[in-house]
């Protein structure tokens, strides 16, 4: 970290890893199939455009082959589909106080008399604003739309309007789900 960094422009949650770990994550889904690597963490980083500027990265980048399916992390309602920002083709889901954002997907947004939807015809995906989606449901595919240099999922998470480091949640999910597996097969 260098001293020229400015504070994040958007609110970042002060929720602690312990508070996140206290949730029941048993039903949550890892958000990408064919996951390869975490390529950029939440927090300050050098601008991917090069140069010396730093920026705050409000999400976790997860590399996966172009066309890999993305799974909805937690059951909820699609509150927005979009295809005209740095985030590229994207879907936003609200699950109680949690908002989860999926960026750089394949496909684009269309609209008809029934509303707006994200469509990825080759992937068999059509996601409507207002639609309820279960945890683990396929909501798109990894692509390269928006501001990106390679195929990956940019996954953003907010709790009560404040950004949260998605890696904290993934770690808590892993711990919960490992414990549940041990519990179901341990004492016999
Ligand atoms: Zn990103």
């Amino acid at each position: 970290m260098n001293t020229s960094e400015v504070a994040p422009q958007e609110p970042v949650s002060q929720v602690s890893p312990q508070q996140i770990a206290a949730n029941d994550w048993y039903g949550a889904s890892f958000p990408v199939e064919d996951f390869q690597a975490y390529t950029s963490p939440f927090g300050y980083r050098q601008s991917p455009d090069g140069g010396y500027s730093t920026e705050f990265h409000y999400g976790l980048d997860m590399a996966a082959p172009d066309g890999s399916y993305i799974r909805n992390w937690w059951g909820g309602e699609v509150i927005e589909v979009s295809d005209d920002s740095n985030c590229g083709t994207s879907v936003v889901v609200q699950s109680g106080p949690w908002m989860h954002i999926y960026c750089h997907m394949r496909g684009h947004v269309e609209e008809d008399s029934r509303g707006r939807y994200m469509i990825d015809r080759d992937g068999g995906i059509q996601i409507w604003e207002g639609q309820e989606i279960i945890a683990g449901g396929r909501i798109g595919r990894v692509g390269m739309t928006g501001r990106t240099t390679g195929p990956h999922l940019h996954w953003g998470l907010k709790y009560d309007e404040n950004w949260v480091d998605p890696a904290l949640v993934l770690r808590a999910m892993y711990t919960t789900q490992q414990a549940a597996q041990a519990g179901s097969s341990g004492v016999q």
Side-chain angles (χ1 to χ4, degrees), residues 45 57 59-61 104 152 154:
R45 68 174 182 186
H57 183 229
L60 175 65
D61 288 352
H104 312 310
H152 72 278
H154 170 102

Side-chain angles (χ1 to χ4, degrees), residues 1-13:
M1 295 248 164
N2 70 53
T3 51
S4 66
E5 282 163 0
V6 292
Q9 293 179 339
E10 297 183 42
V12 172
S13 176

